[in-house]
Amino acid sequence: MPHSDGANKPWSMKKIKEINPQTILDCGTGSGIYLDLIREHIGASVVVVGIEAWEPYIQEFNLNERYDKLFQVDVREHDNFNYDLVIFGDILEHMSKEDAIALWDRVSKQAKYALISIPIIHYPQGASFGNPYEIHVKDDWNTQEVLDSFSHIIDHQVFEITATFLAKFD
């Protein structure tokens, strides 16, 4: 689905405001919900770059016109994570645990902060809207497994379906 659980968004926006990023990379933009929230709660002065692998979403949600820059690529193939904040909004469950950890390791060497939103219950999902990137490859993350798997997490909040985690890198 090109949308995500809304319960975690107020906490996420509070944390984003606290760290006051000037540059943000939104990985797996979907419909652009994080962009809309950032523009509404933080403002237009923040540079927001998006990554979306599924070209039909780029067209349907007008992503090229809405983001400051947009890359059409699988995030695992992207190489520049040099941003104040990298957002993984309901995306890490769409890859193997090994791929998610390898991606996180690369991000931790370039970004200042990262935000993860991820389902923390058994949450299978298929290729919604014909999009193979929507398949939940690892559909059984839990809060402790996320904390154990991803380094530098400084804060998190658990919701009914998802949990959101904030990491700060050195």
Side-chain angles (χ1 to χ4, degrees):
M1 293 176 286
H3 310 286
S4 58
D5 180 36
N8 61 41
K9 300 307 186 281
W11 188 88
S12 298
M13 287 303 106
K14 178 180 177 234
K15 294 300 169 182
I16 292 171
K17 279 183 177 179
E18 287 174 7
I19 64 175
N20 192 30
Q22 298 306 299
T23 59
I24 297 174
L25 179 64
D26 181 7
C27 299
T29 64
S31 66
I33 188 69
Y34 279 98
L35 174 67
D36 293 341
L37 290 168
I38 290 163
R39 294 291 184 237
E40 177 183 343
H41 295 282
I42 298 171
S45 64
V46 178
V47 174
V48 185
V49 176
I51 294 177
E52 178 54 58
W54 187 239
E55 196 276 335
Y57 286 173
I58 294 171
Q59 298 306 314
E60 179 179 352
F61 300 111
N62 230 11
L63 300 176
N64 274 318
E65 289 76 32
R66 294 172 53 212
Y67 280 86
D68 293 304
K69 184 167 188 171
L70 185 76
F71 296 97
Q72 183 188 344
V73 65
D74 184 315
V75 69
R76 292 168 287 191
E77 298 171 12
H78 193 70
D79 61 0
N80 179 8
F81 298 100
N82 188 19
Y83 293 83
D84 294 335
L85 174 64
V86 176
I87 298 174
F88 294 109
D90 297 287
I91 183 175
L92 296 178
E93 67 274 17
H94 298 277
M95 59 189 76
S96 69
K97 181 176 181 177
E98 295 76 21
D99 281 355
I101 291 170
L103 177 60
W104 186 259
D105 288 344
R106 291 178 29 231
V107 169
S108 72
K109 292 174 177 64
Q110 296 180 47
K112 292 181 183 176
Y113 292 88
L115 184 82
I116 297 172
S117 169
I118 193 166
I120 43 92
I121 61 171
H122 179 68
Y123 201 82
Q125 179 176 293
S128 301
F129 304 100
N131 181 350
Y133 294 102
E134 290 287 0
I135 296 168
H136 284 186
V137 175
K138 176 153 174 47
D139 61 8
D140 62 349
W141 284 100
N142 64 60
T143 303
Q144 191 59 52
E145 185 177 14
V146 172
L147 291 168
D148 292 343
S149 299
F150 301 106
S151 63
H152 298 89
I153 293 175
I154 59 170
D155 201 357
H156 72 282
Q157 183 70 44
V158 178
F159 302 92
E160 186 178 339
I161 296 171
T162 60
T164 304
F165 303 83
L166 179 66
K168 181 179 182 190
F169 305 116
D170 300 326

